[in-house]
Amino acid sequence: MSDRALPVTGVEVYFGDDEIIVSKTDLKGYITYANDVFLNIAGYAEDEVLGQPHSMIRHPDMPRAVFKLLWEHLKSGEEIFAYVMNRAKNGDHYWVLAHVTPSLDAAGTIVGYHSNRRVPKRDTINNVIIPLYKQLRALEMSGDRKAGLEASSAKLEAMLKEKGMTANQLFLSLA
Ligand SMILES: Cc1cc2nc3c(=O)[nH]c(=O)nc-3n(C[C@H](O)[C@H](O)[C@H](O)COP(=O)(O)O)c2cc1C
């Protein structure tokens, strides 16, 4: 399904400050576990999400450059913090601050991935993340898919370089 075909309502929905949205995936990003907070806010039954690619809740306004960064970190064994807007089944959306980590076996081999998400600060979302992601997404939509992603990733990298921060430092400084 193309991004454009996904239904979105523009309606934001919220979860509690004391709640954590949890999911786990296999090495390819297929969902192996989702807690009740995840299922409630996303509007799915457990059997609708298990075995599905995590991109099933991707919102079409999310920049691909953020997911590129996420996978680069995870594949090299690093954790990542990221602000993500997700799409619920009915097209509503919700913002999270995600902490995504590789899961290791006793020998230290990556066997899957784990994400814990909490409620992000409203000011950070409104004043920093929404304008930044809008800019990145516009770059991604401006050329063909590959060129767009390259331009968006380059913009994000240039911004981090200018601040002298890694992506994790930037995201955590805003938490
Ligand atoms: C543990 C884990 C959790 C993830 N959580 C989300 C999420 O909440 N929302 C999302 O859009 N992508 C999430 N992703 C990233 C997706 O796997 C995917 O890369 C992203 O949705 C972009 O889709 P695409 O790769 O098909 O472009 C997660 C990946 C992992 C490994």
Side-chain angles (χ1 to χ4, degrees), residues 121-134:
K121 272 194 201 148
R122 185 47 37 186
D123 284 356
T124 298
I125 296 300
N126 289 344
N127 302 335
V128 184
I129 300 299
I130 289 177
L132 172 64
Y133 284 9
K134 222 176 227 172

Side-chain angles (χ1 to χ4, degrees), residues 13-110:
V13 289
Y14 303 90
F15 59 108
D17 284 339
D18 56 346
E19 291 186 308
I20 306 277
I21 299 176
V22 183
S23 63
K24 296 185 197 181
T25 73
D26 64 13
L27 291 172
K28 291 192 164 160
Y30 287 87
I31 299 170
T32 55
Y33 170 81
N35 74 347
D36 285 342
V37 185
F38 182 114
L39 299 173
N40 284 339
I41 189 137
Y44 287 102
E46 188 180 40
D47 63 359
E48 292 179 290
V49 305
L50 295 184
Q52 296 302 313
H54 218 308
S55 57
M56 72 179 290
I57 57 164
R58 179 179 184 279
H59 193 285
D61 292 345
M62 267 301 289
R64 288 193 184 281
V66 173
F67 297 119
K68 181 165 174 274
L69 210 59
L70 178 144
W71 279 105
E72 284 167 1
H73 277 72
L74 295 179
K75 293 234 157 132
S76 55
E78 290 172 54
E79 65 180 348
I80 184 163
F81 291 87
Y83 292 89
V84 180
M85 176 170 61
N86 280 322
R87 196 181 68 89
K89 187 179 182 180
N90 67 358
D92 292 350
H93 66 267
Y94 55 97
W95 279 100
V96 303
L97 172 55
H99 180 207
V100 195
T101 58
S103 306
L104 308 178
D105 69 10
T109 308
I110 302 175

